[in-house]
Amino acid sequence: SINREGLKRRGFSVESIAALKRAYRVLYRQGNSLEAALALLETERDTFPEVARLLDFVRSSVRGIVR
């Protein structure tokens, strides 16, 4: 799961932490393909810059992510 306490200590808002938790679930727990998960998360890109950063990281990864 995400490091909620670490995010709180770093000053992330409750809404941002919740958005990152939802993004984690979509990427790792719902059984979607990577492309389908990224498409689902694209809707939160404009609202939460933290989710946008996660999406950019996954898309720019040369080796991919472990799921």
Side-chain angles (χ1 to χ4, degrees):
S1 185
I2 65 171
N3 182 356
R4 188 178 312 171
E5 283 304 312
L7 293 170
K8 282 183 195 176
R9 281 189 220 124
R10 291 293 217 171
F12 283 74
S13 70
V14 174
E15 294 85 13
S16 295
I17 294 171
L20 287 169
K21 188 173 181 179
R22 282 191 304 273
Y24 175 84
R25 280 193 208 132
V26 170
L27 275 173
Y28 290 99
R29 299 286 180 193
Q30 289 183 352
N32 299 314
S33 69
L34 183 59
E35 290 304 316
L38 294 175
L40 288 170
L41 292 174
E42 197 63 42
T43 59
E44 294 196 24
R45 180 182 207 49
D46 295 332
T47 309
F48 296 101
E50 298 84 4
V51 173
R53 188 169 180 192
L54 176 64
L55 288 172
D56 293 341
F57 171 78
V58 172
R59 285 200 171 116
S60 68
S61 175
V62 175
R63 292 182 169 187
I65 60 171
V66 176
R67 296 178 355 129

